[in-house]
Amino acid sequence: MKNNEDKFKKVISHAKEYGYIFQSSEIYDGLNAVYDYGQNGAELKKNIREYWWKAMVQMHENIVGIDAAIFMHPTTWKASGHVDAFNDPLIDNKDSKKRYRADVLIEDYAEKLNLKAQKEIKKAAKRFGDAFNEEEFVSTNAKVLRYYAKRDEVLKRMASSLEAEDLADVKKLIEELEIACPVSGSKNWTDVKQFNLMFGTKLGATAESSMDLYLRPETAQGIFVNFSNVQKTGRMKIPFGIAQTGKAFRNEIVARQFIFRMREFEQMEMQFFVRPGEEIKWYNHWKEERLNWHLSLGLPKENYRFHDHDKLAHYANAAADIEFNFPFGFKELEGIHSRTDFDLKAHEEFSGKKLQFFDHEVNKSYVPYVIETSIGLDRMFLAIFSASLQKETLEDNSERIVLKLPAVLAPTKAAVLPLVKKDGLPEIARKIIDELKYDFNVTYDEKDAIGRRYRRQDAAGTPFCITVDHQTKEDQMVTIRHRDSMKQERVSIERIKEIINREVSMSSWLQKI
Ligand code: GAP
C-alpha cells in the first residue's frame, strides 16, 4: 500500500513537472478537484479523444458524432431522473468533520477483503510453484473462501439497502463493519443522507425572467434529445450509434485521487440504438469491443478487468465496468450499460414528441433500446499516464525515469537534437524540423549534454530522439534513438518521416482493435 501511495505521489508530481497537469488557479491556492491541462497534457488528452472518436465514428459506418450544448432545457433532467435520483449517500465523521460517500467507505472495506484473499493466493502460488492450481486453491482454501464470502455479503447488503433507500441500514452496516474515519480514526458517524450532485445556475438577465438550469452531469442526454434529429437527417437505420465527447459537471462529495474524480471533467459517450429484445446481444458485443479498444494501446492485459454490477441503476437491465489497475487499486474506468428504452420513453413523455423508429424489416414503430458506452477522458488519461510512468535500472546500474506512453498518444513524437550548438548542426536540425512539422509534433533541444537531453525526452514521453552530428554533414545520416528500447540506429534524413510514421500513425494502431 505504501509503495502504491508513493507511486501515486510520483505520478502527480511528474504530471506537474513535465507540463501535463496543474492544479486549477494554483496562484490562488487552487480549487479543490479542478485541474488544468498543461502544454503536454492538452496534447495527450486531444490524442486520446481522437483515438476514441476515430475508433467509434470513423471506423463504424453506423455511428455518427455530435456536439451538443452543455446547457440543456431543465426538463431534460426531470425526464432523465437526475433531479430526483442523481444522489450520492453521504456521511460525516463527527470528530474529523470530514465528509464521505457511505457506499465508497463500504466498497473500500470490501476491496480490502479482496486484497487479503489475493495475498493468500499469491503466497500459495509462491509456495507450490509450477504445481499450483489456482482454481482449485480458490475453491477449497478456507481463508480465501471466507474473505470472498464476506466481501460478497457486504456488497450485496449495501446494494439492497441502497435499492430500498434504507439509509439507516447503510449506516448500520458501516457501524457493524467497524469502519473508522481514515482521518480521525473514530467511528463517530452522522446519519446517512442523500445529496444531489448537479450544479445549478441561471440563464437570463433579470431575476424575474431568469430560468434555473443545471450544468449537464453527463453528455448522454444531449444524444437522447437529438435522437430523432440525427436519425432523420442522417437517414440512420437501427442498429446505429451516436457518439459525443464533452464536459460534464458533478458536485462530487468526495473529490480526491487527483484527476480520477473531478467536479469538472470530460466524457466520451456513445449511445447505440437497437431493436427491443436484441439489447443483451449488443451489450455483450460492446463489452468486448470496448475492452479491445483499451488493449489495442498495448498496456498489459492484467491491468483491466470487468466488474458486472449487482446494483443496477433504475434505467438499466445490465451493466458492467471496465476496471483499471490505478496506483490505488482496481477502479472503474468505463461503464457499459444496457439502458433499455428508459431515456427515450421518458423524453417522449415529458416533451410530448415521438422518439420512435419505423423498422421496415418488422413493419412497426418502436422506441429503440440503448446500449451505452461511457468513459471519462480524464480517467483514461490517468490510466495511461500512471501505467506508462516507469523507473528502470539500466545495465550500468544507473536509473532512468521514462514515460512509456503508447507512441500514438505521445504529445511530442520526436525531439531533434544537434550534438553541439555550432558547426552548422543546429541549422540541419532546424531543417529536419521544418520537414517533419507538417506531419508530427516535434521539438528542438540544444541545451545540455546529449545524455541529459535523452533523459529529459524519456521523462516527457517522446518516443524518438534524432541526433544530428558532424558526420551528418558528410553523409546526410542521423542517429534515431528509440525511447523504450534505447536502441540507436543510423538512418538517412529522408527515411526519418517513414520510421516515425510506422510507429505513431493512428491507422496502424486502430487496425489492432
Ligand atoms: N452516462 C452514463 C454515465 O455518466 P457514469 O458511470 O456516471 O455513467 C461514466 O460515468 C464515466 O465517466 C465513468 O466510468 C468515469 O470514467 C467518468 N466519470 C464519472 N464521474 C467522474 C468524475 N467525477 N471525474 C472524472 N470522471 C468521471
Side-chain angles (χ1 to χ4, degrees):
M1 206 61 184
K2 181 85 183 80
N3 270 348
N4 288 352
E5 268 171 38
D6 286 350
K7 159 100 201 203
F8 193 32
K9 279 189 190 144
K10 286 195 178 118
V11 166
I12 297 170
S13 62
H14 197 88
K16 178 169 181 195
E17 191 181 341
Y18 285 88
Y20 278 86
I21 298 172
F22 308 127
Q23 176 77 55
S24 159
S25 338
E26 196 187 83
I27 59 167
Y28 294 106
D29 294 335
L31 192 61
N32 205 3
V34 187
Y35 292 91
D36 297 339
Y37 287 85
Q39 65 281 16
N40 280 325
E43 292 287 341
L44 174 56
K45 200 174 167 200
K46 175 176 73 62
N47 292 343
I48 297 173
R49 192 190 295 111
E50 190 182 347
Y51 194 63
W52 180 89
W53 186 271
K54 283 191 186 238
M56 281 295 179
V57 178
Q58 191 170 320
M59 306 278 296
H60 291 93
E61 232 179 275
N62 61 348
I63 300 181
V64 290
I66 63 165
D67 184 11
I70 288 173
F71 290 145
M72 298 185 69
H73 193 282
T75 310
T76 309
W77 307 111
K78 264 304 238 193
S80 66
H82 283 82
V83 171
D84 296 324
F86 194 52
N87 302 318
D88 273 343
L90 69 83
I91 190 164
D92 293 305
N93 183 271
K94 291 184 191 164
D95 298 315
S96 66
K97 311 277 183 252
K98 290 274 172 206
R99 180 159 281 187
Y100 298 93
R101 266 177 61 177
D103 54 337
V104 171
L105 285 178
I106 296 169
E107 275 165 8
D108 286 350
Y109 180 93
E111 183 57 22
K112 277 189 196 137
L113 293 168
N114 209 20
L115 290 175
K116 281 184 183 165
Q118 277 164 19
K119 210 167 154 194
E120 291 298 322
I121 298 169
K122 262 198 194 140
K123 258 184 2 201
K126 213 167 162 191
R127 197 164 60 232
F128 293 115
D130 287 345
F132 183 60
N133 179 337
E134 183 169 333
E135 212 173 302
E136 191 185 321
F137 182 77
V138 169
S139 60
T140 52
N141 181 272
K143 263 190 183 169
V144 171
L145 285 171
R146 212 168 43 242
Y147 287 137
Y148 281 157
K150 180 76 185 164
R151 174 199 65 186
D152 294 346
E153 184 202 326
V154 164
L155 291 176
K156 214 164 157 198
R157 163 124 168 245
M158 178 182 81
S160 67
S161 312
L162 288 173
E163 182 82 36
E165 295 191 16
D166 185 353
L167 298 182
D169 193 56
V170 177
K171 180 179 181 189
K172 210 161 141 222
L173 183 57
I174 289 175
E175 286 170 343
E176 280 171 24
L177 298 174
E178 302 194 348
I179 296 176
C181 166
V183 175
S184 66
S186 96
K187 297 167 196 151
N188 194 6
W189 296 108
T190 61
D191 287 343
V192 178
K193 281 183 277 186
Q194 291 290 19
F195 175 80
N196 193 290
L197 301 184
M198 282 195 294
F199 282 105
T201 185
K202 285 192 185 298
L203 182 90
T206 62
E208 304 78 57
S209 65
S210 75
M211 189 186 209
D212 287 323
L213 289 190
Y214 296 105
L215 297 185
R216 67 180 176 196
E218 62 171 13
T219 57
Q221 300 303 324
I223 294 178
F224 292 126
V225 299
N226 279 299
F227 166 77
S228 279
N229 284 337
V230 175
Q231 191 274 316
K232 291 199 175 97
T233 57
R235 294 186 295 127
M236 310 300 290
K237 291 198 177 45
I238 294 265
F240 75 91
I242 305 179
Q244 161 161 240
T245 70
K247 289 270 176 144
F249 304 83
R250 296 183 189 179
N251 197 2
E252 297 283 359
I253 298 168
V254 188
R256 53 184 166 149
Q257 290 165 322
F258 196 33
I259 56 168
F260 180 81
R261 197 178 300 287
M262 301 155 89
R263 297 204 163 102
E264 173 182 340
F265 58 101
E266 192 166 337
Q267 287 187 316
M268 307 190 287
E269 299 202 297
M270 194 277 297
Q271 312 294 327
F272 198 71
F273 300 94
V274 304
R275 200 179 275 169
E278 294 188 353
E279 70 274 14
I280 297 302
K281 177 183 93 184
W282 285 110
Y283 166 73
N284 289 325
H285 167 90
W286 280 108
K287 267 177 81 174
E288 192 185 327
E289 183 146 346
R290 290 306 302 146
L291 183 62
N292 286 342
W293 181 82
H294 288 283
L295 295 178
S296 73
L297 287 168
L299 299 182
K301 215 173 166 178
E302 307 75 70
N303 280 330
Y304 304 87
R305 71 180 187 198
F306 277 115
H307 165 71
D308 295 311
H309 286 204
D310 292 327
K311 179 191 153 212
L312 290 175
H314 56 284
Y315 51 74
N317 67 0
D321 297 334
I322 294 176
E323 293 187 336
F324 185 80
N325 195 6
F326 288 98
F328 37 84
F330 272 98
K331 295 272 179 206
E332 174 184 345
L333 170 59
E334 169 158 11
I336 295 119
H337 313 122
S338 172
R339 290 181 80 121
T340 68
D341 55 0
F342 173 85
D343 301 271
L344 289 181
K345 267 210 167 129
H347 287 304
E348 272 200 331
E349 193 189 312
F350 279 78
S351 68
K353 309 276 172 10
K354 270 207 174 332
L355 297 175
Q356 302 198 358
F357 173 75
F358 185 78
D359 190 332
H360 287 278
E361 275 180 39
V362 290
N363 206 26
K364 68 171 185 191
S365 279
Y366 52 77
V367 177
Y369 271 45
V370 172
I371 307 303
E372 166 183 77
T373 73
S374 175
I375 177 168
L377 174 50
D378 314 85
R379 226 174 251 195
M380 180 65 191
F381 185 115
L382 181 59
I384 293 286
F385 190 88
S386 57
S388 299
L389 184 60
Q390 293 172 22
K391 185 156 128 183
E392 286 181 348
T393 306
L394 305 178
E395 272 171 15
D396 63 358
N397 268 332
S398 65
E399 281 181 343
R400 73 160 179 161
I401 302 290
V402 52
L403 188 61
K404 290 187 166 174
L405 295 171
V408 65
L409 302 180
T412 304
K413 303 306 186 196
V416 185
L417 320 171
L419 190 62
V420 290
K421 346 179 192 177
K422 54 181 186 181
D423 304 336
L425 303 191
E427 288 74 10
I428 301 175
R430 294 272 182 212
K431 213 163 150 241
I432 293 173
I433 287 193
D434 281 343
E435 276 165 29
L436 295 178
K437 71 182 180 195
Y438 297 97
D439 296 283
F440 316 109
N441 256 349
V442 281
T443 188
Y444 175 84
D445 188 5
E446 60 176 23
K447 194 169 177 293
D448 298 323
I450 196 74
R452 285 189 70 177
R453 280 183 270 167
Y454 284 158
R455 289 288 179 276
R456 199 150 55 223
Q457 296 301 331
D458 285 348
T462 311
F464 295 101
C465 285
I466 297 156
T467 306
V468 176
D469 55 25
H470 292 95
Q471 186 67 26
T472 309
K473 292 207 286 190
E474 313 294 319
D475 59 10
Q476 301 298 301
M477 305 276 274
V478 290
T479 301
I480 283 207
R481 175 183 178 274
H482 297 253
R483 177 197 64 197
D484 296 352
S485 64
M486 297 198 300
K487 287 224 167 77
Q488 303 190 5
E489 51 178 332
R490 202 71 190 161
V491 303
S492 67
I493 289 177
E494 59 196 30
R495 281 197 57 222
I496 299 175
K497 194 189 281 187
E498 166 217 323
I499 292 172
I500 298 179
N501 199 46
R502 207 168 48 214
E503 283 199 33
V504 309
S505 100
M506 223 169 244
S507 65
S508 56
W509 287 76
L510 286 167
Q511 279 168 38
K512 293 187 226 157
I513 299 175

